[in-house]
Amino acid sequence: MSNFPFQRLQADLSGLIDRTPAGQRLPSEPELAKQLGVSRATLRDAMRTFETQGLVRRRQGSGTFVVGKVQALDSGLEVLESLETMAKRLGLVISVSHLSVEPLAADETLAEKLGLEVGAGLLCIRRVIRADGRPVAYLVDTLPENVLRVDDVATDFHGSVLDFLLERGDILKTSRANVSALGATAEVAKALEIQRGDVLLHFYSQLFDENAKVVDYSLSYFIPGYFHFHVVRRVGG
Amino acid sequence: MSNFPFQRLQADLSGLIDRTPAGQRLPSEPELAKQLGVSRATLRDAMRTFETQGLVRRRQGSGTFVVGKVQALDSGLEVLESLETMAKRLGLVISVSHLSVEPLAADETLAEKLGLEVGAGLLCIRRVIRADGRPVAYLVDTLPENVLRVDDVATDFHGSVLDFLLERGDILKTSRANVSALGATAEVAKALEIQRGDVLLHFYSQLFDENAKVVDYSLSYFIPGYFHFHVVRRVGG
DNA sequence: CAGTGGTCTAGACCACACG
DNA sequence: GTGTGGTCTAGACCACTGA
């Protein structure tokens, strides 16, 4: 038994994952913990790091599986494009699940972000984006009801609010995005089929139309290992 | 005892933190766990979320303290500026600690990132950036030795590689930054005085000179609650 | 139904800060 | 030394999957 179980464990697990063919199941947690001489809690702690890298996938009731090398979704931040567009550009196939469309009234936060009054009618669209069947992103868009109605979404909506608005002919100018990181809440963890507290990359952004009105307030949660976001920065002076 | 200890606990802790004056110590972990009717493990799990938001600070051997509302360091990603410049612009005072300057030879990864051959001489600069005495970022810059030497750093180095190069008169063009999120490794956790596995925002970037040569490969780790990074995105087509 | 991962508990031992 | 947070263990119970 080492003095630094966690670091040894990460190395051991890394080796095990490398040696295991893609798609195959790893031994169960109690079994692995026993084999590697650590407690299940420590094992799970280490396993989380591999899940956020997209190397394994854990499914309650069925097991932990090694994930084959998947191509990450790669995009520059200067240009706003939907995940669908991004995937198409890279020749990948993604799908949408858990689509939920729900009218609601603006609370204080949403009212401020959207430039409306508290109580204004809104439409909230949530969905999970999957690549290779694996959930990789959870998206929540909230729009004023005069921009998007429930009926609109019933037809011609394929998962991207941005693409829907553009195809409809809306004139959109820019998006102001904020970049952060957080641990998954219970809600997001469930949607992405990960553990509560797992590391996520988080964007929250406002989409502006030609009149500088906010037409969409958007929250995005990404499993880090499946995305490469980059930006070219000018040296300032 | 609720069926969802964690969610109750977060709410309870949030209330406790709000009611506690800034700078004051919270009850010890065993004490709090007992008061709130949860195990210490669960309590610590919840407390992590408040630490990454910059609401509390935990110090081994001394306790958990409520942090007064600190102004986040706010910056646009379009322009590359040092944290020092950023802080000055916002009227904040930051400091540098744990400065380490170490020559090393390029391994495969560094050689590729810097456009050099394996074994090339490099200089690696690590340091912790603090705001209000609190570690908020951990920065690792690696440069070719023909760009920066140990002697150079001995004088006139105040914590920012970018500022140092600019003041020296180097012509720098752009930086290509990648944005991600990860859990703190043991090394980074120690430097930032947080727990291993705590959520961090992570940039890794290459800085280019006028000849498109890479002069600096940089890794940055940010405690999310202390930073607001944003970017204006053009709607693509 | 048996077996899996998800959550939580109780308690141990350690490293560190401070008097 | 005493008390703090940092780490790890062993085991319980739950929710879910799939035969």
Side-chain angles (χ1 to χ4, degrees):
Chain A
M1 199 98 50
S2 160
N3 282 329
F4 300 103
F6 186 83
Q7 302 182 32
R8 283 195 68 97
L9 181 56
Q10 275 196 324
D12 291 346
L13 277 181
S14 178
L16 175 62
I17 292 169
D18 284 347
R19 288 194 308 274
T20 303
Q24 194 164 324
R25 216 196 70 190
L26 294 177
S28 75
E29 293 187 350
E31 173 76 22
L32 252 185
K34 189 181 168 190
Q35 282 181 23
L36 299 173
V38 299
S39 72
R40 207 183 136 205
T42 305
L43 174 73
R44 286 174 57 73
D45 206 1
M47 205 65 100
R48 299 171 79 138
T49 65
F50 295 100
E51 178 144 40
T52 61
Q53 291 176 257
L55 297 174
V56 302
R57 172 171 180 189
R58 295 141 93 185
R59 278 187 295 195
Q60 184 172 0
S62 98
T64 300
F65 299 83
V66 173
V67 173
K69 201 177 182 83
V70 293
Q71 190 180 346
L73 289 166
D74 193 306
S75 178
L77 291 175
E78 297 86 351
V79 174
L80 175 65
E81 61 179 1
S82 67
L83 294 184
E84 283 76 5
T85 304
M86 199 186 301
K88 188 174 293 181
R89 183 166 46 72
L90 296 168
L92 300 176
V93 176
I94 66 176
S95 60
V96 175
S97 72
H98 295 77
L99 176 63
S100 138
V101 180
E102 177 199 6
L104 79 166
D107 64 15
E108 203 157 321
T109 302
L110 286 172
E112 190 222 320
K113 298 294 187 184
L114 286 164
L116 300 172
E117 283 165 20
V118 174
L122 305 175
L123 193 65
C124 182
I125 303 180
R126 297 166 215 265
R127 69 276 190 203
V128 172
I129 306 294
R130 293 167 178 265
D132 275 332
R134 174 72 168 97
V136 296
Y138 181 58
L139 308 179
V140 180
D141 283 83
T142 309
L143 304 86
E145 63 179 357
N146 63 4
V147 173
L148 195 65
R149 299 177 160 284
V150 181
D151 326 357
D152 298 332
V153 182
T155 62
D156 296 328
F157 183 77
H158 302 106
S160 165
V161 170
L162 178 65
D163 289 347
F164 182 90
L165 295 179
L166 288 175
E167 283 166 20
R168 194 174 72 176
D170 285 26
I171 308 294
L172 305 172
K173 301 294 275 190
T174 59
S175 165
R176 181 189 168 98
N178 292 271
V179 177
S180 191
L182 43 66
T185 62
E187 178 205 353
V188 177
K190 186 171 184 181
L192 289 176
E193 299 172 15
I194 58 178
Q195 250 183 288
R196 174 177 54 65
D198 278 0
V199 175
L200 294 175
L201 182 61
H202 176 49
F203 291 0
Y204 52 102
S205 44
Q206 296 164 300
L207 178 62
F208 297 92
D209 71 6
E210 55 193 333
N211 303 315
K213 290 267 189 195
V214 182
V215 297
D216 180 13
Y217 178 62
S218 158
L219 304 174
S220 310
Y221 305 86
F222 305 101
I223 300 181
Y226 296 98
F227 294 89
H228 291 333
F229 289 112
H230 51 85
V231 58
V232 174
R233 311 182 69 178
R234 193 178 75 247
V235 174
Chain B
M1 199 99 51
S2 159
N3 283 327
F4 301 101
F6 186 83
Q7 302 182 32
R8 285 194 67 98
L9 181 56
Q10 275 195 323
D12 290 348
L13 276 180
S14 178
L16 176 62
I17 292 170
D18 284 347
R19 289 194 309 273
T20 304
Q24 192 163 328
R25 215 195 71 189
L26 294 177
S28 75
E29 292 187 352
E31 173 76 19
L32 253 185
K34 189 180 167 190
Q35 282 182 22
L36 299 173
V38 298
S39 72
R40 206 183 138 206
T42 305
L43 174 72
R44 286 174 57 73
D45 206 2
M47 204 66 99
R48 301 171 78 139
T49 66
F50 295 101
E51 178 144 40
T52 62
Q53 292 177 257
L55 296 174
V56 303
R57 172 171 182 190
R58 296 141 92 185
R59 279 187 293 194
Q60 184 172 0
S62 96
T64 300
F65 299 83
V66 173
V67 173
K69 201 176 181 85
V70 293
Q71 191 181 345
L73 289 166
D74 194 306
S75 179
L77 291 176
E78 296 85 352
V79 174
L80 174 65
E81 61 180 0
S82 67
L83 294 183
E84 283 77 5
T85 304
M86 198 186 303
K88 188 175 291 179
R89 184 166 46 72
L90 295 168
L92 299 176
V93 176
I94 65 177
S95 61
V96 175
S97 72
H98 296 76
L99 177 62
S100 139
V101 179
E102 176 199 6
L104 79 167
D107 64 15
E108 204 158 320
T109 303
L110 287 172
E112 189 221 320
K113 297 294 187 184
L114 287 164
L116 300 173
E117 283 165 20
V118 174
L122 306 175
L123 193 65
C124 181
I125 303 181
R126 297 166 214 266
R127 69 278 191 202
V128 172
I129 305 294
R130 293 166 178 266
D132 275 332
R134 174 71 168 98
V136 296
Y138 180 58
L139 308 179
V140 181
D141 283 83
T142 308
L143 302 88
E145 65 179 357
N146 63 4
V147 173
L148 195 65
R149 301 175 159 284
V150 181
D151 326 358
D152 298 332
V153 182
T155 60
D156 297 328
F157 183 76
H158 302 106
S160 164
V161 169
L162 178 65
D163 289 348
F164 182 90
L165 295 179
L166 288 175
E167 282 166 19
R168 194 174 70 175
D170 286 26
I171 308 294
L172 305 173
K173 301 293 275 190
T174 59
S175 165
R176 182 189 166 98
N178 292 271
V179 178
S180 191
L182 42 66
T185 62
E187 177 204 354
V188 177
K190 186 171 183 181
L192 288 177
E193 298 172 15
I194 58 179
Q195 250 182 288
R196 174 177 55 65
D198 277 0
V199 176
L200 294 175
L201 182 62
H202 176 50
F203 291 0
Y204 53 102
S205 45
Q206 296 165 299
L207 179 61
F208 297 93
D209 71 6
E210 54 193 335
N211 303 314
K213 290 267 189 195
V214 182
V215 296
D216 180 13
Y217 178 62
S218 157
L219 304 174
S220 309
Y221 305 86
F222 304 100
I223 300 180
Y226 295 99
F227 294 89
H228 291 332
F229 289 112
H230 51 85
V231 58
V232 174
R233 311 182 69 178
R234 191 178 76 247
V235 174

